[in-house]
Amino acid sequence: MNGSRLIGGLVAGGLATAALLAAGPTVSSAVPLRPNVHTAASTNAARLTLPSPSGPDDVGTVAVRLVDDSRHDPWVPAQAYRELMVSVFYPARDAAAHPLAPQMTPGAAKHFDASLGTPVHQGLGIKPGAADWGATMTHSHQGAPVTAGRHPVVLFSPGLGDPRTLGTTFAEDLASRGYVVVTIDHTYDASEVEFPGGRVEPFKLPLDGDPLETLKKVVSVRTADTRFVLDRLSTLPNGLGDAVDPGRIGMAGQSAGGFTALQALHDDPRVRAAADLDGTVGFDQSDGGPGLSSLAESGLRRPFLLMGSQASDHHTVRSWEALWDHSTGWKRDLHLRGSAHHTYTDLESLAPQLKVDADTGWIDSSRAVAEQRAYLAAFFDRWLRGRDDDLLDRPSPRYPDVTFVR
């Protein structure tokens, strides 16, 4: 985890605050993803592919704008509401009749590419123009109808500075196994969020201030966002509101998203289990001292999974150690040998195609993806479905890179 990957290089690099958001109408609706339209890229730009889901179900997806009228936006106080974009991935029927959705919408893809030259993503080692981000397709069919029945739900929160779309591999795989997965863009702490009509809102955190206080606010805002999304699950469009099972909800996240997932598990009884993918639960860069969170100090009573990068575990990461010692519920600590911070994002499969490291370590990409999928599915199957394949009880020769930390 390299101490505190919660903020990566953002605080050190600093960022200028962008122009204020133009207000829009209060709506909640599915948003077309315009799969066949993307911003033109250089003829030398790589066309990238995401790994196919491993489960038996076809996958559908819709993007949804959600507006919380009960609070002003914490990062743009002049805005009288908090506005989010989420993507919902789910087991689908009649999928072939619906087009595949792109990983990123055109405006988001263009802005993401430009952000590769800024402190938001400077640590990835990917140059602007290296990839045609708008041309990367998912394996999910836009607007396909959801399969019958009620399905367990998993929310996903990305790392600070990352868009929700870098969690597509995680979301599609769980959806192909029968889950409804909701990925959340935390507006203004993602590099960009594209809203209906092509409006793109960029990163706006005031990182020239006190990093500790800023990061405390980040987690507080993200936790409030999560509560709001939980409140709105029953209103999801395309029949999804009736397809979610409110009694079987879990959450996962990478980096700051992992912190958010565990904080939601701590604060909200609707979340039954949560997985933290290489995210400290402390606020300062030294991952201790005055930056140790109340979550780490009070611990958890419900099941949680830690999955860390190489040499990151509850013996080496101070906030994880405190959380581990103070928690009384079921818990597991795993790490992938040879992994790095962004191993737990789509970059694990995309970076090798660009011949860059992108902080994904030296682990074989296909094995890393397969091992993450297996253990995350086993975790949520155990605690949201009551299915137990014993994978979480002991090391398996099928997954040689997975280390159980006792």
Side-chain angles (χ1 to χ4, degrees), residues 63-124:
V64 184
R65 177 178 181 251
L66 298 175
V67 179
D68 185 355
D69 290 311
S70 70
R71 54 182 171 141
H72 283 244
D73 191 282
W75 303 115
V76 184
Q79 182 173 297
Y81 56 88
R82 174 70 169 160
E83 179 183 35
L84 305 174
M85 285 297 297
V86 303
S87 288
V88 188
F89 298 84
Y90 51 89
R93 54 187 174 82
D94 302 326
H98 298 264
L100 291 174
Q103 182 186 23
M104 297 184 184
T105 52
K110 181 178 179 180
H111 191 280
F112 178 80
D113 186 67
S115 75
L116 294 170
T118 74
V120 180
H121 292 308
Q122 67 180 0
L124 299 182

Side-chain angles (χ1 to χ4, degrees), residues 10-287:
L10 290 174
V11 171
L15 271 177
T17 302
L20 291 179
L21 166 68
T26 300
V27 297
S28 172
S29 59
V31 180
L33 294 180
R34 295 178 287 165
N36 297 317
V37 181
H38 67 272
T39 304
S42 164
T43 55
N44 295 322
R47 294 257 179 152
L48 307 177
T49 59
L50 293 167
S52 300
S54 63
D57 293 325
D58 289 329
V59 180
T61 189
V62 294
V64 184
R65 177 178 181 251
L66 298 175
V67 179
D68 185 355
D69 290 311
S70 70
R71 54 182 171 141
H72 283 244
D73 191 282
W75 303 115
V76 184
Q79 182 173 297
Y81 56 88
R82 174 70 169 160
E83 179 183 35
L84 305 174
M85 285 297 297
V86 303
S87 288
V88 188
F89 298 84
Y90 51 89
R93 54 187 174 82
D94 302 326
H98 298 264
L100 291 174
Q103 182 186 23
M104 297 184 184
T105 52
K110 181 178 179 180
H111 191 280
F112 178 80
D113 186 67
S115 75
L116 294 170
T118 74
V120 180
H121 292 308
Q122 67 180 0
L124 299 182
I126 304 173
K127 295 180 179 179
D132 186 352
W133 299 101
T136 306
M137 303 303 292
T138 69
H139 302 276
S140 302
H141 298 261
Q142 185 175 320
V146 64
T147 57
R150 292 240 172 181
H151 304 282
V153 183
V154 176
L155 275 57
F156 177 82
S157 178
L160 179 57
D162 288 347
R164 72 189 190 277
T165 47
L166 289 185
T168 299
T169 299
F170 166 86
E172 288 192 309
D173 193 68
L174 276 185
S176 76
R177 298 170 184 254
Y179 289 83
V180 172
V181 184
V182 183
T183 63
I184 305 169
D185 261 339
H186 301 282
T187 313
Y188 306 125
D189 87 23
S191 53
E192 65 285 315
V193 183
E194 184 171 2
F195 287 97
R199 173 169 56 92
V200 177
E201 298 300 338
F203 186 96
K204 291 184 179 178
L205 266 61
L207 293 181
D208 55 349
D210 181 345
L212 189 141
E213 292 305 315
T214 297
L215 292 173
K216 285 181 178 179
K217 183 174 178 179
V218 165
V219 175
S220 175
V221 171
R222 283 166 162 252
T223 305
D225 289 346
T226 301
R227 287 196 301 269
F228 171 63
V229 173
L230 289 170
D231 291 342
R232 298 300 293 271
L233 288 178
S234 64
T235 71
L236 292 175
N238 293 29
L240 290 163
D242 293 328
V244 300
D245 186 342
R248 295 188 292 166
I249 296 174
M251 189 166 181
Q254 188 265 344
S255 193
F259 193 159
T260 303
L262 296 189
Q263 191 69 56
L265 180 67
H266 180 274
D267 295 351
D268 198 314
R270 291 174 291 184
V271 181
R272 293 178 51 180
D276 177 355
L277 309 178
D278 209 43
T280 178
V281 291
F283 295 112
D284 62 14
Q285 286 289 71
S286 63
D287 190 48

